[in-house]
Amino acid sequence: MTTAEAIDRYTVADIEAMDYNQIIGLVRETNRPPGGSRSISKIAQEAFLRPESRVLEVGTSTGFTAIELARLVGCHISAIDINPLSCEEARTRGELFGVSSKIDFSLQDATCTNFEAASFDLVFCGNVTSLIANREKALQEYIRVLKDNGFVAAIPMYYVKEPAAALLDRVSSAIKVNVVPLRKPYWVEFFERPPLQLYWSEDYLFDHITDDVIDRFVESILARKHLLSLRPDAQQVLSRVYRDFMCLFRDNLSHMGYTLLMLRKEHVPIDRELFVSRRAGLA
Ligand SMILES: C[S@@+](CC[C@H](N)C(=O)[O-])C[C@H]1O[C@@H](n2cnc3c(N)ncnc32)[C@H](O)[C@@H]1O
């Protein structure tokens, strides 16, 4: 990530020119999968992870999921990302949490890894697949490295309400990805293909986050020690730019939901469950 020595060189213009990914690098925001720790602990339980289990985490960013799995289960995790700065920060965080011996962070592309076939009990890909241009190839790679009876855990985010074109444009330009407003059925169909069979799923909507909560969050991030050496004018602009990003994402997420999808690699095809059910509400 950004070294302390370089930070005092950032000008107002430098910060105004940054997209969200660059801002994350600067402020060292913790990148989580949708649903954060709750999604991770649920998936760890539903995948029956044990200390002997081997997990591949795709698009680890600064390592939140890998570190959380190592702390919860003590299993072995190979965590990959294409961003060298994120990998470096992930290693540092792994050391801080005392779980480095459980995690191998490596710089690899999800579409073409160097892992042997059938090496993992769980491939955890969070919402990362939506950011990969050749997502078909990525999914084939998840399947290749997964053991028979192993699980793919995906947490796709999708639109539940039609977003305005202007909102999509602003989000696309913030994250430098051309955001296409996909819906849940697209993702279920994408992942549920032989030999992957849907094992379990759960839908979620994002909570509404108020301006006050965003303000307090931005304040706490800007108070980080490594940012204190920013020039005062650059600090002020960073606070405004970062807050604008958070408000933009809050407005975008108010149109979105996500699903925890657990798919199992079935080497013996079985027929679909016909009489599906849902939990009854309290009377
Ligand atoms: C939104 S962030 C992390 C998301 C979070 N770990 C999750 O589970 O949803 C997405 C990460 O995916 C990484 N990424 C994007 N394309 C990738 C690829 N082809 N292979 C591996 N990582 C990739 C990015 O560098 C970024 O760190």
Side-chain angles (χ1 to χ4, degrees), residues 31 33-34 57 59 61 81-83 108-110 126-128 131-132:
N31 201 289
E57 197 220 342
S61 183
D81 204 289
I82 48 169
N83 183 330
Q108 294 200 56
D109 191 314
N127 184 44
V128 177
L131 306 173
I132 300 178

Side-chain angles (χ1 to χ4, degrees), residues 73-89:
V73 186
C75 53
H76 185 273
I77 302 120
S78 299
I80 64 168
D81 204 289
I82 48 169
N83 183 330
L85 294 177
S86 298
C87 267
E88 205 181 302
E89 175 67 10

Side-chain angles (χ1 to χ4, degrees), residues 122-276:
L122 170 69
V123 173
F124 188 119
C125 57
N127 184 44
V128 177
T129 317
S130 64
L131 306 173
I132 300 178
N134 194 345
R135 61 181 67 132
E136 289 290 333
K137 197 164 176 220
L139 183 56
Q140 289 313 319
E141 187 63 2
Y142 307 164
I143 293 170
R144 184 186 74 79
V145 299
L146 192 61
K147 296 179 188 171
D148 284 342
N149 302 316
F151 291 99
V152 168
I155 320 180
M157 284 168 55
Y158 47 80
Y159 284 87
V160 292
K161 279 193 275 175
E162 198 61 30
L167 178 64
L168 278 185
D169 283 351
R170 290 179 60 212
V171 174
S172 299
S173 123
I175 62 172
K176 295 282 175 271
V177 168
N178 184 28
V179 178
V180 176
L182 297 169
R183 301 275 173 161
K184 180 184 165 188
Y186 170 88
W187 286 112
V188 176
E189 265 172 50
F190 173 79
F191 281 107
E192 197 186 11
R193 62 175 75 190
L196 294 183
Q197 197 164 87
L198 188 61
Y199 176 73
W200 172 88
S201 76
E202 207 163 82
D203 299 336
Y204 290 86
L205 292 172
F206 288 96
D207 288 341
H208 177 74
I209 307 301
T210 63
D211 284 356
D212 276 358
V213 173
I214 290 184
D215 287 344
R216 272 184 270 129
F217 177 78
V218 172
E219 221 174 274
S220 72
I221 293 277
L222 268 284
R224 289 187 160 172
K225 207 166 146 208
H226 76 283
L227 293 174
L228 297 180
S229 48
L230 267 180
R231 301 175 192 183
D233 57 348
Q235 227 171 67
Q236 245 180 18
V237 171
L238 178 62
S239 169
R240 174 177 54 75
V241 168
Y242 190 55
R243 184 181 188 282
D244 286 350
F245 277 129
M246 293 302 126
C247 291
L248 171 64
F249 296 143
R250 183 263 315 271
D251 296 348
N252 187 47
L253 292 179
S254 73
H255 296 75
M256 299 187 83
Y258 64 89
T259 297
L260 301 189
L261 280 178
M262 290 287 288
L263 302 113
R264 186 160 60 179
K265 184 172 177 180
E266 300 283 8
H267 58 296
V268 180
I270 50 171
D271 50 314
R272 269 184 97 109
E273 191 175 338
L274 174 62
F275 296 109
V276 292

